[in-house]
C-alpha cells in the first residue's frame, strides 16, 4: 500500500513556503476595493438576518450593492485597460 507522503514529492514540484508571492500580493492590493465593498455588503446583510429590515437597513444594503458594483466595474475597467495596453496589433 502506498502512502500519501511517498507520492507527495511527485505531486508537488516545488515546496510551498506559506508566503504569497509579490505578484499575488499585487493582485490582492488591486482587488482590495472590491473585497472591502463585498465585506460592507455582507455586514449590511448580516445585520438584517434575524429581523425585518427597516428603511435605514434597506438604504444601507442598496448603497453597499452600488458600492460593490462600482468597485467591480472599476476593477474590470482596470484589468481591461491593462490588457489593452499590453496587447499590440490591429489592422494594417
Amino acid at each position: 500500500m502506498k502512502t500519501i507522503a511517498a507520492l507527495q514529492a511527485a505531486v508537488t514540484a516545488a515546496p510551498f513556503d506559506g508566503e504569497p508571492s509579490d505578484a499575488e500580493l499585487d493582485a490582492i492590493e488591486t482587488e482590495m476595493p472590491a473585497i472591502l465593498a463585498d465585506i460592507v455588503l455582507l455586514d449590511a446583510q448580516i445585520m438584517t438576518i434575524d429581523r425585518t429590515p427597516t428603511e435605514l437597513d434597506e438604504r444601507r444594503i442598496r448603497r453597499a450593492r452600488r458600492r460593490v458594483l462600482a468597485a467591480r466595474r472599476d476593477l474590470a475597467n482596470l484589468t481591461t485597460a491593462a490588457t489593452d495596453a499590453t496587447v499590440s496589433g490591429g489592422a494594417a
Side-chain angles (χ1 to χ4, degrees):
M1 178 175 194
K2 296 181 181 179
T3 62
I4 294 174
L7 298 176
Q8 185 175 5
V11 174
T12 56
F16 179 66
D17 63 356
E19 297 294 324
S21 67
D22 289 340
E24 290 169 332
L25 289 174
D26 289 340
I28 291 169
E29 186 68 29
T30 303
E31 294 176 8
M32 191 54 69
I35 293 168
L36 294 175
D38 285 331
I39 290 171
V40 170
L41 177 59
L42 283 172
D43 286 343
Q45 291 172 335
I46 287 170
M47 288 191 316
T48 61
I49 284 179
D50 60 346
R51 62 184 169 94
T52 304
T54 64
E55 179 71 24
L56 182 63
D57 293 331
E58 290 174 2
R59 280 191 236 160
R60 184 178 292 124
I61 291 172
R62 277 196 309 269
R63 193 176 326 119
R65 283 184 181 145
R66 285 194 303 266
R67 184 176 171 191
V68 166
L69 291 174
R72 290 181 183 171
R73 179 200 61 218
D74 294 343
L75 182 61
N77 288 340
L78 181 65
T79 305
T80 303
T83 304
D84 290 343
T86 58
V87 175
S88 63

